Amino acid sequence: MRVINTRFNLKYDNVDEYGFMRPENFDYERYEKFMSSYLVILVNRSKKWDKLMKKGKRLQRGLVLKRYVKKGIPSSYRAQVWMKISGANELQIHQESDLYNTRLNSVLDSDVVQAIRTDLPRTFPDNIYFIPLEGSQEQLYRILFAYAADNKNVGYCQGLNYIAGLLLLVTKDEEISFWLLKVLVDNILPDYYSRKMTGLMIDIEVFARLTKSKMPDLYRHVKSLNIPWSLLIMKWFVCLYAEVFPTETVLRIWDCLFYEHSPILFKVGITLINYFRKTLLGCDNFTSFIEVFKKMPLDIFVLDCHYFMKRVNSENKSITNALLQKLRKEIKSEKKNYELNQLP
Amino acid sequence: MSAPPYSYSYIFKYIIIGDMGVGKSCLLHQFTEKKFMSDCPHTIGVEFGTRIIEVCGQQIKLQIWDTAGQERFRAVTRSYYRGAAGALMVYDTTRRSTYNHLSSWLTDTRNLTNSSTVIFLIGNKSDLKDQRDVAYEEAKQFADENGLMFVEASAKTGDNVEEAFVETAKKIFQRIQDGRLDLNATESGVQHKPSQPGRTTLTDQSPKNTCTC
């Protein structure tokens, strides 16, 4: 199935380890340079995780586990560790034993089925496992169907296809993907995907306020160009950076997301914008600003996920769940008598 | 796409709206890149495209906001209608439900834009002739009754795509010329360059020969 890339005669083929075709203009040389150092880190982290997992400890929350998660969970342990640190395991234990199959046998509104079906062929068409008849499309359909049946308030929201799709590629297990999707949408992200998307809009406003306090010049610049924050960052938050960032970077973000919840989403965005702050300030019109903004996730700064996550975690320690809760509460009460649709 | 600043004299803001899966992003992609993208990724929230076209001898930069079609995203996308000079309202000629929802899209457009906004109705996927679910005549009648411009188009073959975007711009330009669209109104959706800073009234810079296109 895989074609070795002979054009550059390098050791990386044109399909990555999760099945994504590399883009035509992919910079193999730059990538090889990054991977040569990242592989050493991966091997090193792998050994440490082997030890941690062998101890048979129940991955207790604490400074050690937190540090391990921040430095990246090895791909071979991701499914198992994500299930534990996210609380999905707990959730599963306290539910009917075969919730997934029960949900698969429910009846769903035809509009919801139609919406899921519409998005299937356009979920990762550049991934070899999502080519029609390769099986993943049908698995993804079942995960989304089961979740929609499980949480009828949410049903299906566009964007969940990317999240569930990537969960499936990483865990290679439908049911685990279902539980992880469930814990993300039901517990970790506050009201992002429901029919009014209220929580998402509040968090976009929270992000704008954090930018205002950390980079007031940039915040003013965005305002002067009349750019709504939702135009800039909505996809980041809806897709949790999937379909925006390189895959390995997204998974490193999700490692933290399952452990510490929302703060990581804000830290990532703020770090990225801060890194490009001067370039962005130099964009003197709407279009050029947006063009630069859209290109940021493709920069080597983001591809080099280990260094990127180090920066993300060290630069934004002040962004905590407590701070986010405080800001969310403020915004909610300010907008109480005001149409939430006006946000932001 | 990397035109030097102000190689154009106007910026027109467009929005593209319609149900999910009707081909909004594909139409935009066909218009800006002249290519068909099968399995075009669906839009989360809003995407953005630009292209400079020539209308009546004027270089016009189109600033096109392509919105997500799923109902729940409308809470967000509604805030993007403001200040649109053109609205492209799209349905899928092979799926009647997308046509049936047009009146609700039209209500949003009328409520959230201003009276001078040009609304253009596009029936997409005209290449899929044997799957047709909405007759041309029926949609044409709907368009006429509501004072909309209308074509059937195909983002796949490119048929009528250019026309829809350009005809909208011509109509906007006409409205500027006959004074129906006030350039100084804050939410006209039109910005007049290049005499920066600040806007000028059309009379300062209007082309000498009246446009007849």
Side-chain angles (χ1 to χ4, degrees):
Chain A
M1 190 80 209
R2 294 194 175 186
V3 184
I4 299 296
N5 188 294
T6 48
R7 191 154 56 111
F8 294 93
N9 201 20
L10 298 173
K11 56 185 168 183
Y12 296 100
D13 63 22
N14 58 359
V15 176
D16 76 12
E17 69 169 304
Y18 299 100
F20 288 97
M21 310 274 285
R22 298 196 200 279
E24 262 176 39
N25 56 355
F26 188 77
D27 188 342
Y28 287 89
E29 280 178 65
R30 199 177 68 170
Y31 184 70
E32 183 165 1
K33 206 172 153 199
F34 151 66
M35 275 311 277
S36 61
S37 64
Y38 190 48
L39 277 175
V40 179
I41 295 166
L42 284 178
V43 170
N44 187 19
R45 297 313 306 164
S46 224
K47 280 184 196 154
K48 300 207 174 207
W49 274 91
D50 284 342
K51 269 189 208 160
L52 186 76
M53 301 300 279
K54 264 181 205 146
K55 278 184 189 162
K57 282 187 184 169
R58 283 169 299 154
L59 292 178
Q60 276 173 341
R61 292 183 77 86
L63 288 176
V64 175
L65 185 59
K66 193 174 175 183
R67 196 176 69 240
Y68 271 51
V69 168
K70 279 182 180 170
K71 290 184 175 183
I73 303 167
S75 55
S76 56
Y77 288 129
R78 270 204 173 107
Q80 189 186 348
V81 175
W82 281 357
M83 283 296 281
K84 286 210 170 159
I85 60 176
S86 66
N89 267 352
E90 281 287 296
L91 206 62
Q92 192 175 13
I93 290 163
H94 290 102
Q95 296 271 350
E96 302 161 41
S97 57
D98 201 5
L99 184 74
Y100 184 58
N101 282 306
T102 312
R103 293 298 179 247
L104 279 180
N105 290 318
S106 0
V107 180
L108 256 192
D109 198 25
S110 66
D111 288 355
V112 181
V113 173
Q114 168 72 34
I116 298 175
R117 285 273 175 220
T118 302
D119 282 348
L120 280 186
R122 39 187 194 174
T123 307
F124 302 141
D126 57 340
N127 187 291
I128 58 167
Y129 302 111
F130 277 92
I131 292 168
L133 308 177
E134 273 297 306
S136 290
Q137 262 192 22
E138 275 311 299
Q139 287 182 305
L140 176 61
Y141 173 75
R142 285 195 294 271
I143 299 165
L144 294 171
F145 182 101
Y147 183 72
D150 187 62
N151 187 343
K152 293 209 164 132
N153 271 329
V154 170
Y156 170 67
C157 176
Q158 292 194 301
L160 293 181
N161 56 324
Y162 292 125
I163 297 170
L166 190 53
L167 287 171
L168 182 62
L169 288 169
V170 172
T171 65
K172 301 181 179 68
D173 185 298
E174 254 179 77
E175 194 167 348
I176 290 179
S177 302
F178 165 79
W179 283 104
L180 290 171
L181 182 68
K182 181 171 163 59
V183 81
L184 274 173
V185 181
D186 291 0
N187 298 359
I188 296 180
L189 305 160
D191 196 20
Y192 271 26
Y193 305 97
S194 57
R195 288 179 209 279
K196 289 197 167 166
M197 305 185 98
T198 313
L200 174 77
M201 286 195 271
I202 289 175
D203 272 10
I204 291 173
E205 174 71 16
V206 169
F207 189 92
R209 290 188 189 191
L210 286 173
T211 314
K212 190 179 180 183
S213 73
K214 288 177 184 293
M215 296 169 264
D217 49 356
L218 187 105
Y219 178 84
R220 278 196 304 272
H221 190 54
V222 169
K223 203 167 181 184
S224 73
L225 294 175
N226 261 320
I227 305 176
W229 278 96
S230 57
L231 173 62
L232 299 173
I233 62 164
M234 185 159 177
K235 190 169 182 183
W236 293 0
F237 276 71
V238 171
C239 298
L240 315 175
Y241 296 99
E243 191 52 19
V244 180
F245 280 12
T247 313
E248 187 63 18
T249 313
V250 177
L251 300 180
R252 290 289 302 269
I253 296 169
W254 287 12
D255 288 344
C256 297
L257 178 65
F258 283 120
Y259 187 86
E260 67 169 53
H261 299 184
S262 291
I264 192 67
L265 299 178
F266 293 85
K267 292 179 193 173
V268 164
I270 299 274
T271 306
L272 183 62
I273 293 175
N274 200 15
Y275 183 78
F276 284 96
R277 193 179 128 264
K278 283 195 176 142
T279 319
L280 289 167
L281 285 171
C283 299
D284 66 350
N285 68 72
F286 192 99
T287 313
S288 66
F289 188 96
I290 287 170
E291 275 168 11
V292 169
F293 201 91
K294 293 257 169 196
K295 280 186 193 142
M296 299 189 307
L298 307 171
D299 193 86
I300 183 76
F301 177 58
V302 180
L303 180 71
D304 185 350
C305 56
H306 200 67
Y307 176 69
F308 179 70
M309 291 309 287
K310 209 172 176 173
R311 290 274 296 261
V312 165
N313 280 310
S314 64
E315 281 176 19
N316 299 290
K317 292 209 163 95
S318 64
I319 302 178
T320 59
N321 276 308
L323 174 68
L324 297 179
Q325 284 307 347
K326 183 177 151 265
L327 290 170
R328 283 168 182 156
K329 213 171 145 191
E330 270 174 32
I331 292 164
K332 267 187 215 163
S333 70
E334 276 171 35
K335 310 281 174 179
K336 213 169 187 177
N337 300 315
Y338 185 69
E339 192 62 27
L340 268 169
N341 290 352
Q342 299 297 319
L343 274 172
Chain B
M1 283 248 273
S2 57
Y6 312 142
S7 59
Y8 45 87
S9 13
Y10 293 92
I11 300 176
F12 290 177
K13 175 180 172 179
Y14 281 15
I15 50 164
I16 312 182
I17 51 174
D19 276 12
M20 64 182 279
V22 297
K24 297 177 291 297
S25 303
C26 290
L27 286 165
L28 175 61
H29 193 77
Q30 176 64 256
F31 177 67
T32 56
E33 309 295 321
K34 303 210 188 312
K35 266 189 238 158
F36 176 62
M37 217 170 157
S38 64
D39 299 325
C40 195
H42 55 81
T43 307
I44 304 286
V46 67
E47 291 288 338
F48 186 77
T50 56
R51 199 183 122 186
I52 295 174
I53 58 170
E54 193 181 303
V55 169
C56 308
Q58 299 285 314
Q59 297 294 311
I60 294 171
K61 181 171 180 172
L62 300 183
Q63 195 184 79
I64 308 154
W65 299 50
D66 171 27
T67 62
Q70 197 181 16
E71 173 70 28
R72 67 193 68 189
F73 285 91
R74 279 164 89 166
V76 191
T77 54
R78 278 193 182 108
S79 64
Y80 303 138
Y81 286 61
R82 228 174 346 184
L88 307 183
M89 197 166 79
V90 188
Y91 70 97
D92 175 349
T93 54
T94 71
R95 266 198 297 146
R96 173 155 288 273
S97 62
T98 66
Y99 174 81
N100 293 341
H101 294 151
L102 286 178
S103 52
S104 120
W105 288 109
L106 187 59
T107 306
D108 266 9
T109 313
R110 296 249 196 256
N111 287 342
L112 299 163
T113 60
N114 51 60
S115 58
S116 59
T117 302
V118 173
I119 308 174
F120 202 112
L121 178 65
I122 303 175
N124 190 30
K125 309 193 187 177
S126 63
D127 56 291
L128 301 173
K129 292 193 176 69
D130 50 349
Q131 293 172 42
R132 177 183 285 279
D133 202 14
V134 181
Y136 174 85
E137 294 71 22
E138 188 185 351
K140 177 74 178 123
Q141 195 186 339
F142 174 83
D144 288 345
E145 281 167 4
N146 290 287
L148 316 174
M149 298 167 88
F150 170 59
V151 288
E152 284 189 343
S154 165
K156 188 170 185 178
T157 64
D159 193 37
N160 274 342
V161 174
E162 186 83 8
E163 286 77 356
F165 285 85
V166 173
E167 289 304 315
T168 305
K170 279 187 187 164
K171 187 88 176 182
I172 295 168
F173 193 70
Q174 245 175 42
R175 289 188 179 181
I176 298 173
Q177 288 202 310
D178 64 24
R180 276 189 67 191
L181 193 150
D182 177 9
L183 282 176
N184 290 320
T186 45
E187 293 184 350
S188 67
V190 174
Q191 288 174 53
H192 195 184
K193 300 286 172 184
S195 51
Q196 294 284 316
R199 294 199 178 100
T200 45
T201 52
L202 185 70
T203 43
D204 295 339
Q205 308 247 341
S206 59
K208 286 185 184 83
N209 45 343
T210 311
C211 176
T212 51
C213 52

